[in-house]
Amino acid sequence: MNLKSHKVLRGAESAPKRSRFHALGLTDEELNRPLIGVASAFSEVVPGHVHLDKLAEAVKAGVRIAGGTPILFPAIGVCDGIAMGHEGMKYSLASRELIADSIETMAMAHCFDALVLIPNCDKIVPGMVMAAARLNIPSIVVSGGPMLPGKRDGKELSLQDMFEAVGARKAGLIDDETLCDVEQKACPGCGSCAGMFTANSMNCLCEAIGIALPGNGTIPAVSSERVQLAKKAGMKIMELLERNIRPRDILTEKAFQNALTIDMALGCSTNSVLHLTAIAHEAGVPMNLSIVNEISGKTPNLCKLSPAGPDYITDLQYAGGVAAVIKELSKRKLIFEELLTVTGKTVGENIMNARNSNNKIIRDIENPYSQTGGLAVLFGNLAPEGCVVKRSAVLDSMLQKEGRARVFNSEDEAGKAIFAGEIKPGDIVIIRYEGPKGGPGMREMLGPTSALAGMGLDKDVALITDGRFSGATRGAAIGHVSPEAASGGTIAFVCDGDLISIDIPNGKITLQVDEKTLEARKASWKAPESNVKSGWLSRYQKLVSSSSRGAILG
């Protein structure tokens, strides 16, 4: 087999390079085997990553069992729950590009023959998959797995409840003692936050698209099955290398359609659209937002996991996992079953023995929550290039709404107004200049949306932004408005009191202001000066594209 690592390991001219590997303690026997890069996002600041050192050891064991030499290297990761609500959140989406670039750098500089990628949280998963698609060397993803839900007074809860408890405290609905009790119990241990938030959405979609083994999205972080899965991933990468199965053999146009179909059935985070678009770009696969509605229109929503409902990722695991959801969808021939996956088998072969063991968690396809999918893209004069909403987490009464705009030029301004009780039932909150360029970094808005929910206003108030939302957000929260305000999108010209119409079932969002008035406002508009003058974010701001293109660089 002609391996990339031969460039640094074979021949007299490679002796200086081999000496560097010997300095690491590697023997000639190890250097005569394929070099497998193991990228781990382990750190001691992210609960979803704090156990990844154990999984990395399991991966390395699997690689050795199958005849390879594993080489561990790190990847950064931002904890969105800690970064939320301050300047740190501007770095979260931007870190996705750093992760992809750094893995590309490590793989190319050291001539790894293949990669095992060990992420878990929001931007780390897509960043690693973007790198795999870009490099196109045999690669497999094995995530850290979901956190168990917490428990309080017999009720399960997660980080979403923690953020909503802050809103309830500000509204005087709970006291400090209750807030502290929720704080202690919401996040009981390691793993990605327990609901169908962005991290778990992307981990499930890695399985759906075929770049991860079955169980990747749902096996709990604390389970021995997760360690076994990591060992199997380490062994499987050697088979992928032997058979020369590469990411772009798997990440095809039909595979992205499968991922979107499963996304709709599961009710994944709105961020999944942003990330799938970016991954598709790296894989050389054309993808635009219109396909989301096309697939949503024919895909039933089978799951209502937190924040859309009371169930958690662990419930999905015990009901049969992602494979059982795929099998339900296959009953209507909504899945391309012939596609190759990292198991070395097809999607159809992978689900042959799958079984839905709890039709309260995974609805039978004949009895879905709705005949259309969990996400919707809205178009209109307020968002000519589209905006995204998690339809499955919106109350029926809010699917069609008309209201007056309350306009804020940052998340911070909006948060102060919400906590001060200035937002009233019927309002439509507009938060702008929080897009990829305007933020910069497209901050998640879990604080404002959770505050509204905690105050009981999610039944009457919608929120629209050119920023984005945490997967833990529920209610009529519409994000990714494109073009964004900083680029002169229509959202920049909305004024307090303007009438806005939202029609989620029909995919429309309309600012009820005539063109003449909008042109006059545009003529007097000037983009605000960026408050970011130096550092990585300044470079990111200059290079980042529209959210409708996945907020990719260049």
Side-chain angles (χ1 to χ4, degrees), residues 292-313:
V292 175
N293 284 345
E294 180 185 329
I295 290 175
S296 181
K298 61 184 180 183
T299 306
N301 179 220
L302 304 180
C303 302
K304 276 195 179 290
L305 303 170
S306 176
D311 304 314
Y312 292 89
I313 299 297

Side-chain angles (χ1 to χ4, degrees), residues 441-461:
M442 210 178 180
R443 286 195 287 181
E444 286 187 344
M445 309 272 177
L446 183 56
T449 57
S450 297
L452 290 170
M455 294 174 172
L457 289 171
D458 59 310
K459 302 176 181 65
D460 305 289
V461 173

